[in-house]
PDB file of all heavy atoms in Angstrom:
ATOM      1  N   VAL A  45      14.472  88.154  52.596  1.00 83.00           N
ATOM      2  CA  VAL A  45      13.226  88.824  52.277  1.00 83.00           C
ATOM      3  C   VAL A  45      12.591  88.290  50.964  1.00 83.00           C
ATOM      4  O   VAL A  45      11.387  88.027  50.937  1.00 83.00           O
ATOM      5  CB  VAL A  45      13.545  90.339  51.964  1.00 83.00           C
ATOM      6  CG1 VAL A  45      12.280  91.026  51.345  1.00 83.00           C
ATOM      7  CG2 VAL A  45      13.825  90.977  53.262  1.00 83.00           C
ATOM      8  N   THR A  63      -8.889  89.578  44.370  1.00 91.00           N
ATOM      9  CA  THR A  63     -10.288  89.559  43.890  1.00 91.00           C
ATOM     10  C   THR A  63     -11.116  88.722  44.752  1.00 91.00           C
ATOM     11  O   THR A  63     -12.432  89.002  44.828  1.00 91.00           O
ATOM     12  CB  THR A  63     -10.433  88.969  42.521  1.00 91.00           C
ATOM     13  OG1 THR A  63      -9.541  87.948  42.144  1.00 91.00           O
ATOM     14  CG2 THR A  63      -9.860  90.189  41.560  1.00 91.00           C
ATOM     15  N   ASN A  70     -14.669  92.491  52.205  1.00 89.00           N
ATOM     16  CA  ASN A  70     -15.235  93.719  52.423  1.00 89.00           C
ATOM     17  C   ASN A  70     -15.218  94.690  51.167  1.00 89.00           C
ATOM     18  O   ASN A  70     -14.971  95.862  51.267  1.00 89.00           O
ATOM     19  CB  ASN A  70     -14.555  94.411  53.656  1.00 89.00           C
ATOM     20  CG  ASN A  70     -13.053  94.681  53.469  1.00 89.00           C
ATOM     21  OD1 ASN A  70     -12.444  94.052  52.771  1.00 89.00           O
ATOM     22  ND2 ASN A  70     -12.640  95.789  54.055  1.00 89.00           N
ATOM     23  N   TYR A  78      -5.635  95.121  53.773  1.00 94.00           N
ATOM     24  CA  TYR A  78      -4.344  94.741  53.681  1.00 94.00           C
ATOM     25  C   TYR A  78      -3.360  95.537  54.773  1.00 94.00           C
ATOM     26  O   TYR A  78      -2.382  95.159  55.287  1.00 94.00           O
ATOM     27  CB  TYR A  78      -3.822  94.754  52.266  1.00 94.00           C
ATOM     28  CG  TYR A  78      -4.177  93.634  51.435  1.00 94.00           C
ATOM     29  CD1 TYR A  78      -4.972  93.658  50.380  1.00 94.00           C
ATOM     30  CD2 TYR A  78      -3.569  92.299  51.726  1.00 94.00           C
ATOM     31  CE1 TYR A  78      -5.326  92.597  49.628  1.00 94.00           C
ATOM     32  CE2 TYR A  78      -3.876  91.092  51.107  1.00 94.00           C
ATOM     33  CZ  TYR A  78      -4.581  91.396  49.927  1.00 94.00           C
ATOM     34  OH  TYR A  78      -4.917  90.222  49.280  1.00 94.00           O
ATOM     35  N   ILE A 142      -1.351  72.252  37.782  1.00 89.00           N
ATOM     36  CA  ILE A 142      -2.410  72.715  36.917  1.00 89.00           C
ATOM     37  C   ILE A 142      -2.119  74.018  36.213  1.00 89.00           C
ATOM     38  O   ILE A 142      -2.515  74.112  35.051  1.00 89.00           O
ATOM     39  CB  ILE A 142      -3.586  73.070  37.962  1.00 89.00           C
ATOM     40  CG1 ILE A 142      -4.090  71.859  38.553  1.00 89.00           C
ATOM     41  CG2 ILE A 142      -4.738  73.817  37.199  1.00 89.00           C
ATOM     42  CD1 ILE A 142      -5.121  72.077  39.715  1.00 89.00           C
ATOM     43  N   ILE A 326       4.467  80.204  41.415  1.00 90.00           N
ATOM     44  CA  ILE A 326       4.129  79.050  42.160  1.00 90.00           C
ATOM     45  C   ILE A 326       5.327  78.136  42.330  1.00 90.00           C
ATOM     46  O   ILE A 326       5.582  77.561  43.427  1.00 90.00           O
ATOM     47  CB  ILE A 326       2.997  78.253  41.383  1.00 90.00           C
ATOM     48  CG1 ILE A 326       1.776  79.197  41.422  1.00 90.00           C
ATOM     49  CG2 ILE A 326       2.697  76.958  42.115  1.00 90.00           C
ATOM     50  CD1 ILE A 326       0.664  78.615  40.376  1.00 90.00           C
ATOM     51  N   SER A 345      15.394  66.898  64.110  1.00 90.00           N
ATOM     52  CA  SER A 345      16.396  65.851  64.073  1.00 90.00           C
ATOM     53  C   SER A 345      17.553  66.240  64.935  1.00 90.00           C
ATOM     54  O   SER A 345      18.031  65.312  65.691  1.00 90.00           O
ATOM     55  CB  SER A 345      16.857  65.574  62.554  1.00 90.00           C
ATOM     56  OG  SER A 345      17.828  64.612  62.610  1.00 90.00           O
ATOM     57  N   ASP A 347      17.337  67.871  67.539  1.00 88.00           N
ATOM     58  CA  ASP A 347      16.835  67.751  68.896  1.00 88.00           C
ATOM     59  C   ASP A 347      16.533  66.362  69.318  1.00 88.00           C
ATOM     60  O   ASP A 347      16.080  65.976  70.368  1.00 88.00           O
ATOM     61  CB  ASP A 347      15.484  68.533  69.165  1.00 88.00           C
ATOM     62  CG  ASP A 347      15.907  69.990  69.132  1.00 88.00           C
ATOM     63  OD1 ASP A 347      17.126  70.428  69.149  1.00 88.00           O
ATOM     64  OD2 ASP A 347      15.046  70.780  69.050  1.00 88.00           O
ATOM     65  N   ASN A 453     -14.683  79.811  59.692  1.00 81.00           N
ATOM     66  CA  ASN A 453     -14.815  79.741  58.175  1.00 81.00           C
ATOM     67  C   ASN A 453     -13.879  78.798  57.558  1.00 81.00           C
ATOM     68  O   ASN A 453     -13.397  78.920  56.399  1.00 81.00           O
ATOM     69  CB  ASN A 453     -14.507  81.186  57.657  1.00 81.00           C
ATOM     70  CG  ASN A 453     -15.556  82.158  58.082  1.00 81.00           C
ATOM     71  OD1 ASN A 453     -16.565  82.254  57.508  1.00 81.00           O
ATOM     72  ND2 ASN A 453     -15.327  82.911  59.103  1.00 81.00           N
ATOM     73  N   GLY A 470      -9.609  69.161  63.618  1.00 92.00           N
ATOM     74  CA  GLY A 470      -9.277  68.079  64.638  1.00 92.00           C
ATOM     75  C   GLY A 470      -8.015  67.525  64.602  1.00 92.00           C
ATOM     76  O   GLY A 470      -7.292  67.252  65.492  1.00 92.00           O
ATOM     77  N   ALA A 483       6.174  64.780  74.525  1.00 95.00           N
ATOM     78  CA  ALA A 483       7.216  65.594  75.309  1.00 95.00           C
ATOM     79  C   ALA A 483       6.978  65.008  76.764  1.00 95.00           C
ATOM     80  O   ALA A 483       8.034  64.804  77.416  1.00 95.00           O
ATOM     81  CB  ALA A 483       6.840  67.004  75.360  1.00 95.00           C
ATOM     82  N   ILE A 493      16.696  63.518  76.022  1.00 91.00           N
ATOM     83  CA  ILE A 493      16.122  64.011  74.825  1.00 91.00           C
ATOM     84  C   ILE A 493      15.027  65.090  75.234  1.00 91.00           C
ATOM     85  O   ILE A 493      14.983  66.138  74.389  1.00 91.00           O
ATOM     86  CB  ILE A 493      15.351  62.840  74.057  1.00 91.00           C
ATOM     87  CG1 ILE A 493      16.372  61.768  73.641  1.00 91.00           C
ATOM     88  CG2 ILE A 493      14.573  63.329  72.892  1.00 91.00           C
ATOM     89  CD1 ILE A 493      15.688  60.610  72.870  1.00 91.00           C
TER      90      ILE A 493
END
Side-chain angles (χ1 to χ4, degrees):
V45 166
T63 44
N70 62 330
Y78 276 118
I142 294 170
I326 298 166
S345 176
D347 293 350
N453 293 280
I493 296 178

